Amino acid sequence: MIPILPTQRGLLWLLILVVLLVLVWMFQPILTPFILGLLIAYLLNPIVNKLTCPKCPRWLASLFVMLCFFGVVFTSIGLSVPILYQEVADLTKSAPEWFGSVREWLAPYIEQFKPYTSKVQENSEPLLDNIPQVGSHAAKLGGAVLSGILAGGNVVLGTISLLFLMPIVTFYLLNDWDKIIKTSDDLLPRKEAPTVRALAKEINTTIAGFLRGQLGVCVALSIIYAVCLSLVGLDYAILIGITSGML
């Protein structure tokens, strides 16, 4: 039997990784519920581990955590989407007026520099005259894109399948998480197993802390911004709050 050199083994694993990434990209529409379910199960697994005890089997803890999580998510989406849709529609209607205000605001400043920048002034007049039209076209395009997204049959079917499949995938992954980890550990070469376990533990601690921290901060900031801006009576408060929090 021909021995495999470390360099060849590394190239082999790199090739396998590339093939897996290509397959994921090719079957992305089908794999989306499974990938999202895997990510959610990864984030919720520590909570399930803490709830699991002799009086509360793992399947019950997984079901409870999964129902609580998706209940909060779906309720939040159901309450926020109609408000966001209305605010986006109002924003697209107000965009031409805003662009016209920008034109009026810029005109005096450009007029002051007219003696020094006659060429710029000549070239800028058509631009200023077209600002409202640009805003109107942008508003119409945004509205058309949003309507197309919401009305697209494929998107609706994909969303329905996502909503039904993702909780199921999440539940089964949460319930069998320990078995999946044990099976993956049994596949490791015995010689390199301790090193792989140590690296995997370090990677898991870093990634899990980053993801949970970032998601927690984004959600908290979105809620705080949306509530505070709504209380002060700002237009498009929910849209601005959620966008600012997520960014």
Side-chain angles (χ1 to χ4, degrees), residues 46-166:
I47 303 176
V48 175
N49 289 337
K50 291 183 179 180
L51 292 178
T52 302
C53 62
K55 295 184 179 180
C56 181
R58 186 171 182 88
W59 70 266
L60 183 59
S62 302
L63 182 63
F64 174 75
V65 172
M66 187 266 296
L67 290 177
C68 290
F69 175 80
F70 283 105
V72 172
V73 170
F74 291 156
T75 302
S76 302
I77 292 175
L79 293 175
S80 61
V81 165
I83 300 174
L84 288 174
Y85 181 81
Q86 185 61 44
E87 290 189 352
V88 170
D90 294 341
L91 181 63
T92 56
K93 293 178 182 178
S94 303
E97 182 181 349
W98 290 357
F99 279 103
S101 300
V102 171
R103 179 189 181 282
E104 295 177 1
W105 180 76
L106 287 176
Y109 293 98
I110 296 179
E111 188 69 25
Q112 293 178 5
F113 291 94
K114 185 175 181 181
Y116 309 102
T117 57
S118 56
K119 275 191 176 182
V120 175
Q121 179 68 23
E122 293 173 2
N123 295 330
S124 64
E125 284 297 334
L127 176 62
L128 291 175
D129 292 336
N130 289 329
I131 285 180
Q133 286 80 3
V134 172
S136 178
H137 290 310
K140 291 179 181 179
L141 179 60
V145 171
L146 183 62
S147 300
I149 290 175
L150 294 177
N154 292 334
V155 174
V156 173
L157 292 176
T159 303
I160 293 175
S161 65
L162 184 67
L163 295 180
F164 277 99
L165 283 176
M166 191 167 55

Side-chain angles (χ1 to χ4, degrees), residues 152-201:
N154 292 334
V155 174
V156 173
L157 292 176
T159 303
I160 293 175
S161 65
L162 184 67
L163 295 180
F164 277 99
L165 283 176
M166 191 167 55
I168 297 173
V169 172
T170 301
F171 169 74
Y172 280 105
L173 286 175
L174 280 174
N175 188 41
D176 295 334
W177 192 267
D178 292 340
K179 296 179 183 178
I180 295 173
I181 297 299
K182 185 179 183 303
T183 302
S184 302
D185 184 77
D186 292 339
L187 295 176
L188 296 176
R190 294 299 93 189
K191 185 177 180 181
E192 289 84 6
T195 303
V196 175
R197 290 194 195 102
L199 292 175
K201 184 178 180 180

